[in-house]
Amino acid sequence: MAEAVVELLERAARREAPLEELRALRLAVQAVPPAALRARLSDEHLAALFTLLSSSEREQLSACVAVLERLLQALDPLYVIQNLREELRKGLFHPDDSVKILSISQVGRIVENSDAVREILNSPELLRQIINCIGGEKIAVAKEAIKSLSRIAQTQDGLEALFVSSLLSDLKNVMGTNDVVRYRVYELIVEISSVSADSLNYCANSGLISDLIGELTGDDVLVRATCIEMVTSLAHSPHGRQYLAQQGIIDKISNIIIGAESDPFSGFYLPGFIKFFGNLAVVDSPQQICERYPVFMEKVFEMAESHDPTMNGVAVDTLGILGSSVEGKQVLQKARGRFQNLLNKIGHQAKNAPTELRLRCLDAVSSLLYLPPEQQTEDLLRMTESWFSSLSSQPLELFRSISTQPFPDLHCGALRVFTAIANQAWAQKLMLNSPGFVEYIVDRSVEPDKASKDAKYELVKALVNSKTIAEIFGNQYYLRLRAYLNEGPYYVKAVSTTAVEGAE
């Protein structure tokens, strides 16, 4: 096979390869191991293929890109940058996006090689054009450029090259292309900032994070909605949260939520601001966040109690995120009657709302009710039991009715609710005392697809692994559950048939 590839490459080098042979070469290079390709490739072969990229024939161009992609992956990154620097540079100016992406992705591969990265950092014209590619019309090209520049910034030298040189001016200039491109650059800055405190310092000193925060706290409601997503990403890292707190940005976001009461356009940005605090509470301390920013919890409850489905969905998601930890559960429990009423509404919506909101309610209920075995104190078990009772007058039957509906997503969502409470003794007693419920659990015929079978299996596993299940369910049911678990999620009982001579 390697010989066939070489022969086809030789023909390409002599420009004798018609389209059919390029197609054949495209298939052939996929079948040859990288080591074999490296041993047979020459500079002439690669130069010829790069020359063929000047073709205006779409299919030929596509075949050449596919072949080059495979061949370049087989080569050492240092060899690529030392011998094909000019070809990569030309590729960045190519009118076809697939050629641009080929060149940018190779640069991304080169900068991950400790021996080759210096060559890239000494090629400012190459980096400048990659920055310009962020401003391209096609999102695929821009994303590849962002990915490569983000990789470049993984090292101290890379940070210096991007932020302490004329390239910073190029980055700021390309932001002026339009709003979309400006946000792409912010996306890059946030991605780089998330790596380390050192990376964040370089980005902060460039002034670009201040620009982002300025837009977040500005008067344009649509810009706010876009910027808060990026600031939320920045808050995922400890050093990012520390920076936002030190700069007073979290306080500013809290104040904007307070001012949203009198803003008729707050619906555009409020969901994003609430998600910001929800994420902050998960990675930080739910109690501290809710105590320091009481407007956050108040607004979540208001949104959940409103009649706006969009606000309901965001509030339900946030409650689920908050209640995923024991500390968050305890914060919600402090609201007592108000939260119990809210649970009743969530139970009603899980049954009657549009499908998307029903699914979000089911996921939130699963998060709120789950308790890891090591955290199951008497108080917490009483709390989850009381929350479950608040969802409906007959909550077990409510979720069972949802689980029998012919919609896979809803079916699996209801099964996940049962799985969340399966290791809690009070829930096991409810299941046992509900007529036909245990039979439903071990009945494989009601699970029509793989996702449903997997969800049912997780429920059985949660029950079997519980320390209280054998005592509560009794030996007979316990052994049936054990058998189900041992047989696996996709077990099908063999049916034996007997052939009768002469039967038709």
Side-chain angles (χ1 to χ4, degrees), residues 381-401:
L381 286 168
R382 271 197 300 272
M383 182 188 74
T384 53
E385 183 177 7
S386 128
W387 285 6
F388 188 70
S389 300
S390 299
L391 289 162
S392 167
S393 57
Q394 292 184 303
L396 198 74
E397 296 311 312
L398 164 70
F399 294 111
R400 189 173 170 185
S401 70

mmCIF file with all atom_site columns, all heavy atoms in Angstrom, residues 381-401:
data_model
loop_
_atom_site.group_PDB
_atom_site.id
_atom_site.type_symbol
_atom_site.label_atom_id
_atom_site.label_alt_id
_atom_site.label_comp_id
_atom_site.label_asym_id
_atom_site.label_entity_id
_atom_site.label_seq_id
_atom_site.pdbx_PDB_ins_code
_atom_site.Cartn_x
_atom_site.Cartn_y
_atom_site.Cartn_z
_atom_site.occupancy
_atom_site.B_iso_or_equiv
_atom_site.pdbx_formal_charge
_atom_site.auth_seq_id
_atom_site.auth_comp_id
_atom_site.auth_asym_id
_atom_site.auth_atom_id
_atom_site.pdbx_PDB_model_num
ATOM 1   N N   . LEU A 1 381 ? -32.854 13.225 55.797 1.00 0.00 ? 381 LEU A N   1
ATOM 2   C CA  . LEU A 1 381 ? -33.816 12.268 55.243 1.00 0.00 ? 381 LEU A CA  1
ATOM 3   C C   . LEU A 1 381 ? -35.250 12.752 55.472 1.00 0.00 ? 381 LEU A C   1
ATOM 4   O O   . LEU A 1 381 ? -36.104 12.611 54.584 1.00 0.00 ? 381 LEU A O   1
ATOM 5   C CB  . LEU A 1 381 ? -33.605 10.880 55.868 1.00 0.00 ? 381 LEU A CB  1
ATOM 6   C CG  . LEU A 1 381 ? -32.365 10.126 55.371 1.00 0.00 ? 381 LEU A CG  1
ATOM 7   C CD1 . LEU A 1 381 ? -32.077 8.918  56.250 1.00 0.00 ? 381 LEU A CD1 1
ATOM 8   C CD2 . LEU A 1 381 ? -32.532 9.698  53.915 1.00 0.00 ? 381 LEU A CD2 1
ATOM 9   N N   . ARG A 1 382 ? -35.500 13.315 56.645 1.00 0.00 ? 382 ARG A N   1
ATOM 10  C CA  . ARG A 1 382 ? -36.838 13.883 56.899 1.00 0.00 ? 382 ARG A CA  1
ATOM 11  C C   . ARG A 1 382 ? -37.119 15.028 55.930 1.00 0.00 ? 382 ARG A C   1
ATOM 12  O O   . ARG A 1 382 ? -38.237 15.195 55.435 1.00 0.00 ? 382 ARG A O   1
ATOM 13  C CB  . ARG A 1 382 ? -36.934 14.389 58.345 1.00 0.00 ? 382 ARG A CB  1
ATOM 14  C CG  . ARG A 1 382 ? -37.398 13.340 59.338 1.00 0.00 ? 382 ARG A CG  1
ATOM 15  C CD  . ARG A 1 382 ? -37.874 13.979 60.643 1.00 0.00 ? 382 ARG A CD  1
ATOM 16  N NE  . ARG A 1 382 ? -36.820 14.736 61.296 1.00 0.00 ? 382 ARG A NE  1
ATOM 17  C CZ  . ARG A 1 382 ? -35.957 14.204 62.160 1.00 0.00 ? 382 ARG A CZ  1
ATOM 18  N NH1 . ARG A 1 382 ? -36.024 12.920 62.465 1.00 0.00 ? 382 ARG A NH1 1
ATOM 19  N NH2 . ARG A 1 382 ? -35.019 14.955 62.717 1.00 0.00 ? 382 ARG A NH2 1
ATOM 20  N N   . MET A 1 383 ? -36.073 15.812 55.644 1.00 0.00 ? 383 MET A N   1
ATOM 21  C CA  . MET A 1 383 ? -36.224 16.955 54.743 1.00 0.00 ? 383 MET A CA  1
ATOM 22  C C   . MET A 1 383 ? -36.558 16.498 53.319 1.00 0.00 ? 383 MET A C   1
ATOM 23  O O   . MET A 1 383 ? -37.510 16.994 52.703 1.00 0.00 ? 383 MET A O   1
ATOM 24  C CB  . MET A 1 383 ? -34.932 17.784 54.731 1.00 0.00 ? 383 MET A CB  1
ATOM 25  C CG  . MET A 1 383 ? -34.988 19.032 53.873 1.00 0.00 ? 383 MET A CG  1
ATOM 26  S SD  . MET A 1 383 ? -33.367 19.822 53.741 1.00 0.00 ? 383 MET A SD  1
ATOM 27  C CE  . MET A 1 383 ? -32.528 18.691 52.627 1.00 0.00 ? 383 MET A CE  1
ATOM 28  N N   . THR A 1 384 ? -35.795 15.535 52.788 1.00 0.00 ? 384 THR A N   1
ATOM 29  C CA  . THR A 1 384 ? -36.068 15.085 51.410 1.00 0.00 ? 384 THR A CA  1
ATOM 30  C C   . THR A 1 384 ? -37.431 14.399 51.317 1.00 0.00 ? 384 THR A C   1
ATOM 31  O O   . THR A 1 384 ? -38.139 14.534 50.316 1.00 0.00 ? 384 THR A O   1
ATOM 32  C CB  . THR A 1 384 ? -34.962 14.131 50.900 1.00 0.00 ? 384 THR A CB  1
ATOM 33  O OG1 . THR A 1 384 ? -34.767 13.065 51.835 1.00 0.00 ? 384 THR A OG1 1
ATOM 34  C CG2 . THR A 1 384 ? -33.660 14.862 50.667 1.00 0.00 ? 384 THR A CG2 1
ATOM 35  N N   . GLU A 1 385 ? -37.808 13.682 52.374 1.00 0.00 ? 385 GLU A N   1
ATOM 36  C CA  . GLU A 1 385 ? -39.142 13.046 52.371 1.00 0.00 ? 385 GLU A CA  1
ATOM 37  C C   . GLU A 1 385 ? -40.235 14.109 52.326 1.00 0.00 ? 385 GLU A C   1
ATOM 38  O O   . GLU A 1 385 ? -41.229 13.989 51.611 1.00 0.00 ? 385 GLU A O   1
ATOM 39  C CB  . GLU A 1 385 ? -39.301 12.165 53.612 1.00 0.00 ? 385 GLU A CB  1
ATOM 40  C CG  . GLU A 1 385 ? -40.619 11.412 53.635 1.00 0.00 ? 385 GLU A CG  1
ATOM 41  C CD  . GLU A 1 385 ? -40.764 10.486 54.832 1.00 0.00 ? 385 GLU A CD  1
ATOM 42  O OE1 . GLU A 1 385 ? -39.896 10.517 55.744 1.00 0.00 ? 385 GLU A OE1 1
ATOM 43  O OE2 . GLU A 1 385 ? -41.759 9.721  54.871 1.00 0.00 ? 385 GLU A OE2 1
ATOM 44  N N   . SER A 1 386 ? -40.035 15.162 53.134 1.00 0.00 ? 386 SER A N   1
ATOM 45  C CA  . SER A 1 386 ? -41.026 16.238 53.149 1.00 0.00 ? 386 SER A CA  1
ATOM 46  C C   . SER A 1 386 ? -41.070 16.978 51.817 1.00 0.00 ? 386 SER A C   1
ATOM 47  O O   . SER A 1 386 ? -42.134 17.361 51.338 1.00 0.00 ? 386 SER A O   1
ATOM 48  C CB  . SER A 1 386 ? -40.696 17.171 54.310 1.00 0.00 ? 386 SER A CB  1
ATOM 49  O OG  . SER A 1 386 ? -40.599 18.491 53.937 1.00 0.00 ? 386 SER A OG  1
ATOM 50  N N   . TRP A 1 387 ? -39.905 17.172 51.179 1.00 0.00 ? 387 TRP A N   1
ATOM 51  C CA  . TRP A 1 387 ? -39.880 17.813 49.853 1.00 0.00 ? 387 TRP A CA  1
ATOM 52  C C   . TRP A 1 387 ? -40.621 16.950 48.831 1.00 0.00 ? 387 TRP A C   1
ATOM 53  O O   . TRP A 1 387 ? -41.379 17.462 48.005 1.00 0.00 ? 387 TRP A O   1
ATOM 54  C CB  . TRP A 1 387 ? -38.425 18.015 49.406 1.00 0.00 ? 387 TRP A CB  1
ATOM 55  C CG  . TRP A 1 387 ? -37.711 19.134 50.113 1.00 0.00 ? 387 TRP A CG  1
ATOM 56  C CD1 . TRP A 1 387 ? -38.182 19.883 51.153 1.00 0.00 ? 387 TRP A CD1 1
ATOM 57  C CD2 . TRP A 1 387 ? -36.402 19.632 49.823 1.00 0.00 ? 387 TRP A CD2 1
ATOM 58  N NE1 . TRP A 1 387 ? -37.240 20.807 51.539 1.00 0.00 ? 387 TRP A NE1 1
ATOM 59  C CE2 . TRP A 1 387 ? -36.145 20.686 50.742 1.00 0.00 ? 387 TRP A CE2 1
ATOM 60  C CE3 . TRP A 1 387 ? -35.417 19.295 48.903 1.00 0.00 ? 387 TRP A CE3 1
ATOM 61  C CZ2 . TRP A 1 387 ? -34.943 21.399 50.740 1.00 0.00 ? 387 TRP A CZ2 1
ATOM 62  C CZ3 . TRP A 1 387 ? -34.213 20.005 48.899 1.00 0.00 ? 387 TRP A CZ3 1
ATOM 63  C CH2 . TRP A 1 387 ? -33.981 21.047 49.810 1.00 0.00 ? 387 TRP A CH2 1
ATOM 64  N N   . PHE A 1 388 ? -40.376 15.647 48.877 1.00 0.00 ? 388 PHE A N   1
ATOM 65  C CA  . PHE A 1 388 ? -41.040 14.742 47.938 1.00 0.00 ? 388 PHE A CA  1
ATOM 66  C C   . PHE A 1 388 ? -42.563 14.819 48.114 1.00 0.00 ? 388 PHE A C   1
ATOM 67  O O   . PHE A 1 388 ? -43.311 14.892 47.139 1.00 0.00 ? 388 PHE A O   1
ATOM 68  C CB  . PHE A 1 388 ? -40.548 13.309 48.168 1.00 0.00 ? 388 PHE A CB  1
ATOM 69  C CG  . PHE A 1 388 ? -41.015 12.325 47.124 1.00 0.00 ? 388 PHE A CG  1
ATOM 70  C CD1 . PHE A 1 388 ? -40.533 12.372 45.828 1.00 0.00 ? 388 PHE A CD1 1
ATOM 71  C CD2 . PHE A 1 388 ? -41.946 11.345 47.458 1.00 0.00 ? 388 PHE A CD2 1
ATOM 72  C CE1 . PHE A 1 388 ? -40.963 11.461 44.862 1.00 0.00 ? 388 PHE A CE1 1
ATOM 73  C CE2 . PHE A 1 388 ? -42.385 10.425 46.504 1.00 0.00 ? 388 PHE A CE2 1
ATOM 74  C CZ  . PHE A 1 388 ? -41.885 10.486 45.208 1.00 0.00 ? 388 PHE A CZ  1
ATOM 75  N N   . SER A 1 389 ? -43.009 14.866 49.362 1.00 0.00 ? 389 SER A N   1
ATOM 76  C CA  . SER A 1 389 ? -44.451 14.936 49.648 1.00 0.00 ? 389 SER A CA  1
ATOM 77  C C   . SER A 1 389 ? -45.056 16.246 49.159 1.00 0.00 ? 389 SER A C   1
ATOM 78  O O   . SER A 1 389 ? -46.246 16.308 48.829 1.00 0.00 ? 389 SER A O   1
ATOM 79  C CB  . SER A 1 389 ? -44.698 14.797 51.156 1.00 0.00 ? 389 SER A CB  1
ATOM 80  O OG  . SER A 1 389 ? -44.197 13.566 51.615 1.00 0.00 ? 389 SER A OG  1
ATOM 81  N N   . SER A 1 390 ? -44.228 17.305 49.113 1.00 0.00 ? 390 SER A N   1
ATOM 82  C CA  . SER A 1 390 ? -44.721 18.624 48.691 1.00 0.00 ? 390 SER A CA  1
ATOM 83  C C   . SER A 1 390 ? -44.962 18.702 47.183 1.00 0.00 ? 390 SER A C   1
ATOM 84  O O   . SER A 1 390 ? -45.660 19.601 46.714 1.00 0.00 ? 390 SER A O   1
ATOM 85  C CB  . SER A 1 390 ? -43.732 19.715 49.096 1.00 0.00 ? 390 SER A CB  1
ATOM 86  O OG  . SER A 1 390 ? -43.575 19.752 50.488 1.00 0.00 ? 390 SER A OG  1
ATOM 87  N N   . LEU A 1 391 ? -44.372 17.785 46.441 1.00 0.00 ? 391 LEU A N   1
ATOM 88  C CA  . LEU A 1 391 ? -44.467 17.849 44.973 1.00 0.00 ? 391 LEU A CA  1
ATOM 89  C C   . LEU A 1 391 ? -45.881 17.557 44.472 1.00 0.00 ? 391 LEU A C   1
ATOM 90  O O   . LEU A 1 391 ? -46.289 18.059 43.428 1.00 0.00 ? 391 LEU A O   1
ATOM 91  C CB  . LEU A 1 391 ? -43.483 16.853 44.347 1.00 0.00 ? 391 LEU A CB  1
ATOM 92  C CG  . LEU A 1 391 ? -42.004 17.236 44.466 1.00 0.00 ? 391 LEU A CG  1
ATOM 93  C CD1 . LEU A 1 391 ? -41.108 16.024 44.232 1.00 0.00 ? 391 LEU A CD1 1
ATOM 94  C CD2 . LEU A 1 391 ? -41.647 18.348 43.481 1.00 0.00 ? 391 LEU A CD2 1
ATOM 95  N N   . SER A 1 392 ? -46.627 16.742 45.236 1.00 0.00 ? 392 SER A N   1
ATOM 96  C CA  . SER A 1 392 ? -47.964 16.341 44.793 1.00 0.00 ? 392 SER A CA  1
ATOM 97  C C   . SER A 1 392 ? -48.647 15.610 45.937 1.00 0.00 ? 392 SER A C   1
ATOM 98  O O   . SER A 1 392 ? -47.991 15.155 46.881 1.00 0.00 ? 392 SER A O   1
ATOM 99  C CB  . SER A 1 392 ? -47.845 15.426 43.568 1.00 0.00 ? 392 SER A CB  1
ATOM 100 O OG  . SER A 1 392 ? -49.055 14.774 43.285 1.00 0.00 ? 392 SER A OG  1
ATOM 101 N N   . SER A 1 393 ? -49.959 15.459 45.841 1.00 0.00 ? 393 SER A N   1
ATOM 102 C CA  . SER A 1 393 ? -50.661 14.688 46.871 1.00 0.00 ? 393 SER A CA  1
ATOM 103 C C   . SER A 1 393 ? -50.281 13.213 46.795 1.00 0.00 ? 393 SER A C   1
ATOM 104 O O   . SER A 1 393 ? -50.287 12.507 47.797 1.00 0.00 ? 393 SER A O   1
ATOM 105 C CB  . SER A 1 393 ? -52.174 14.845 46.701 1.00 0.00 ? 393 SER A CB  1
ATOM 106 O OG  . SER A 1 393 ? -52.568 14.435 45.396 1.00 0.00 ? 393 SER A OG  1
ATOM 107 N N   . GLN A 1 394 ? -49.932 12.742 45.592 1.00 0.00 ? 394 GLN A N   1
ATOM 108 C CA  . GLN A 1 394 ? -49.449 11.370 45.405 1.00 0.00 ? 394 GLN A CA  1
ATOM 109 C C   . GLN A 1 394 ? -48.213 11.396 44.502 1.00 0.00 ? 394 GLN A C   1
ATOM 110 O O   . GLN A 1 394 ? -48.270 11.040 43.329 1.00 0.00 ? 394 GLN A O   1
ATOM 111 C CB  . GLN A 1 394 ? -50.539 10.495 44.781 1.00 0.00 ? 394 GLN A CB  1
ATOM 112 C CG  . GLN A 1 394 ? -51.727 10.246 45.710 1.00 0.00 ? 394 GLN A CG  1
ATOM 113 C CD  . GLN A 1 394 ? -52.732 9.301  45.080 1.00 0.00 ? 394 GLN A CD  1
ATOM 114 O OE1 . GLN A 1 394 ? -53.238 9.567  43.980 1.00 0.00 ? 394 GLN A OE1 1
ATOM 115 N NE2 . GLN A 1 394 ? -53.015 8.200  45.757 1.00 0.00 ? 394 GLN A NE2 1
ATOM 116 N N   . PRO A 1 395 ? -47.084 11.829 45.044 1.00 0.00 ? 395 PRO A N   1
ATOM 117 C CA  . PRO A 1 395 ? -45.898 12.064 44.203 1.00 0.00 ? 395 PRO A CA  1
ATOM 118 C C   . PRO A 1 395 ? -45.373 10.810 43.503 1.00 0.00 ? 395 PRO A C   1
ATOM 119 O O   . PRO A 1 395 ? -44.942 10.880 42.351 1.00 0.00 ? 395 PRO A O   1
ATOM 120 C CB  . PRO A 1 395 ? -44.864 12.622 45.182 1.00 0.00 ? 395 PRO A CB  1
ATOM 121 C CG  . PRO A 1 395 ? -45.353 12.231 46.539 1.00 0.00 ? 395 PRO A CG  1
ATOM 122 C CD  . PRO A 1 395 ? -46.834 12.172 46.450 1.00 0.00 ? 395 PRO A CD  1
ATOM 123 N N   . LEU A 1 396 ? -45.392 9.669  44.174 1.00 0.00 ? 396 LEU A N   1
ATOM 124 C CA  . LEU A 1 396 ? -44.870 8.456  43.534 1.00 0.00 ? 396 LEU A CA  1
ATOM 125 C C   . LEU A 1 396 ? -45.692 8.115  42.291 1.00 0.00 ? 396 LEU A C   1
ATOM 126 O O   . LEU A 1 396 ? -45.139 7.768  41.243 1.00 0.00 ? 396 LEU A O   1
ATOM 127 C CB  . LEU A 1 396 ? -44.881 7.273  44.519 1.00 0.00 ? 396 LEU A CB  1
ATOM 128 C CG  . LEU A 1 396 ? -43.980 6.101  44.105 1.00 0.00 ? 396 LEU A CG  1
ATOM 129 C CD1 . LEU A 1 396 ? -42.506 6.452  44.324 1.00 0.00 ? 396 LEU A CD1 1
ATOM 130 C CD2 . LEU A 1 396 ? -44.330 4.840  44.896 1.00 0.00 ? 396 LEU A CD2 1
ATOM 131 N N   . GLU A 1 397 ? -47.012 8.249  42.416 1.00 0.00 ? 397 GLU A N   1
ATOM 132 C CA  . GLU A 1 397 ? -47.889 7.958  41.266 1.00 0.00 ? 397 GLU A CA  1
ATOM 133 C C   . GLU A 1 397 ? -47.725 9.013  40.172 1.00 0.00 ? 397 GLU A C   1
ATOM 134 O O   . GLU A 1 397 ? -47.855 8.713  38.984 1.00 0.00 ? 397 GLU A O   1
ATOM 135 C CB  . GLU A 1 397 ? -49.354 7.891  41.717 1.00 0.00 ? 397 GLU A CB  1
ATOM 136 C CG  . GLU A 1 397 ? -49.649 6.754  42.686 1.00 0.00 ? 397 GLU A CG  1
ATOM 137 C CD  . GLU A 1 397 ? -49.100 5.418  42.192 1.00 0.00 ? 397 GLU A CD  1
ATOM 138 O OE1 . GLU A 1 397 ? -49.331 5.075  41.016 1.00 0.00 ? 397 GLU A OE1 1
ATOM 139 O OE2 . GLU A 1 397 ? -48.422 4.725  42.973 1.00 0.00 ? 397 GLU A OE2 1
ATOM 140 N N   . LEU A 1 398 ? -47.439 10.247 40.594 1.00 0.00 ? 398 LEU A N   1
ATOM 141 C CA  . LEU A 1 398 ? -47.208 11.321 39.605 1.00 0.00 ? 398 LEU A CA  1
ATOM 142 C C   . LEU A 1 398 ? -46.045 10.947 38.682 1.00 0.00 ? 398 LEU A C   1
ATOM 143 O O   . LEU A 1 398 ? -46.175 10.974 37.452 1.00 0.00 ? 398 LEU A O   1
ATOM 144 C CB  . LEU A 1 398 ? -46.895 12.637 40.334 1.00 0.00 ? 398 LEU A CB  1
ATOM 145 C CG  . LEU A 1 398 ? -46.262 13.747 39.475 1.00 0.00 ? 398 LEU A CG  1
ATOM 146 C CD1 . LEU A 1 398 ? -47.273 14.286 38.481 1.00 0.00 ? 398 LEU A CD1 1
ATOM 147 C CD2 . LEU A 1 398 ? -45.721 14.875 40.345 1.00 0.00 ? 398 LEU A CD2 1
ATOM 148 N N   . PHE A 1 399 ? -44.914 10.573 39.279 1.00 0.00 ? 399 PHE A N   1
ATOM 149 C CA  . PHE A 1 399 ? -43.731 10.261 38.460 1.00 0.00 ? 399 PHE A CA  1
ATOM 150 C C   . PHE A 1 399 ? -43.873 8.913  37.750 1.00 0.00 ? 399 PHE A C   1
ATOM 151 O O   . PHE A 1 399 ? -43.336 8.721  36.667 1.00 0.00 ? 399 PHE A O   1
ATOM 152 C CB  . PHE A 1 399 ? -42.472 10.319 39.325 1.00 0.00 ? 399 PHE A CB  1
ATOM 153 C CG  . PHE A 1 399 ? -42.174 11.700 39.837 1.00 0.00 ? 399 PHE A CG  1
ATOM 154 C CD1 . PHE A 1 399 ? -42.301 12.003 41.192 1.00 0.00 ? 399 PHE A CD1 1
ATOM 155 C CD2 . PHE A 1 399 ? -41.820 12.720 38.970 1.00 0.00 ? 399 PHE A CD2 1
ATOM 156 C CE1 . PHE A 1 399 ? -42.064 13.281 41.667 1.00 0.00 ? 399 PHE A CE1 1
ATOM 157 C CE2 . PHE A 1 399 ? -41.584 14.007 39.429 1.00 0.00 ? 399 PHE A CE2 1
ATOM 158 C CZ  . PHE A 1 399 ? -41.705 14.296 40.783 1.00 0.00 ? 399 PHE A CZ  1
ATOM 159 N N   . ARG A 1 400 ? -44.631 8.011  38.366 1.00 0.00 ? 400 ARG A N   1
ATOM 160 C CA  . ARG A 1 400 ? -44.870 6.728  37.693 1.00 0.00 ? 400 ARG A CA  1
ATOM 161 C C   . ARG A 1 400 ? -45.709 6.943  36.433 1.00 0.00 ? 400 ARG A C   1
ATOM 162 O O   . ARG A 1 400 ? -45.467 6.330  35.398 1.00 0.00 ? 400 ARG A O   1
ATOM 163 C CB  . ARG A 1 400 ? -45.583 5.775  38.656 1.00 0.00 ? 400 ARG A CB  1
ATOM 164 C CG  . ARG A 1 400 ? -45.670 4.359  38.099 1.00 0.00 ? 400 ARG A CG  1
ATOM 165 C CD  . ARG A 1 400 ? -46.232 3.411  39.134 1.00 0.00 ? 400 ARG A CD  1
ATOM 166 N NE  . ARG A 1 400 ? -46.540 2.114  38.574 1.00 0.00 ? 400 ARG A NE  1
ATOM 167 C CZ  . ARG A 1 400 ? -47.131 1.136  39.230 1.00 0.00 ? 400 ARG A CZ  1
ATOM 168 N NH1 . ARG A 1 400 ? -47.459 1.310  40.497 1.00 0.00 ? 400 ARG A NH1 1
ATOM 169 N NH2 . ARG A 1 400 ? -47.388 -0.005 38.652 1.00 0.00 ? 400 ARG A NH2 1
ATOM 170 N N   . SER A 1 401 ? -46.685 7.842  36.525 1.00 0.00 ? 401 SER A N   1
ATOM 171 C CA  . SER A 1 401 ? -47.515 8.115  35.338 1.00 0.00 ? 401 SER A CA  1
ATOM 172 C C   . SER A 1 401 ? -46.686 8.766  34.233 1.00 0.00 ? 401 SER A C   1
ATOM 173 O O   . SER A 1 401 ? -46.880 8.491  33.045 1.00 0.00 ? 401 SER A O   1
ATOM 174 C CB  . SER A 1 401 ? -48.703 9.012  35.709 1.00 0.00 ? 401 SER A CB  1
ATOM 175 O OG  . SER A 1 401 ? -48.264 10.323 36.014 1.00 0.00 ? 401 SER A OG  1
#
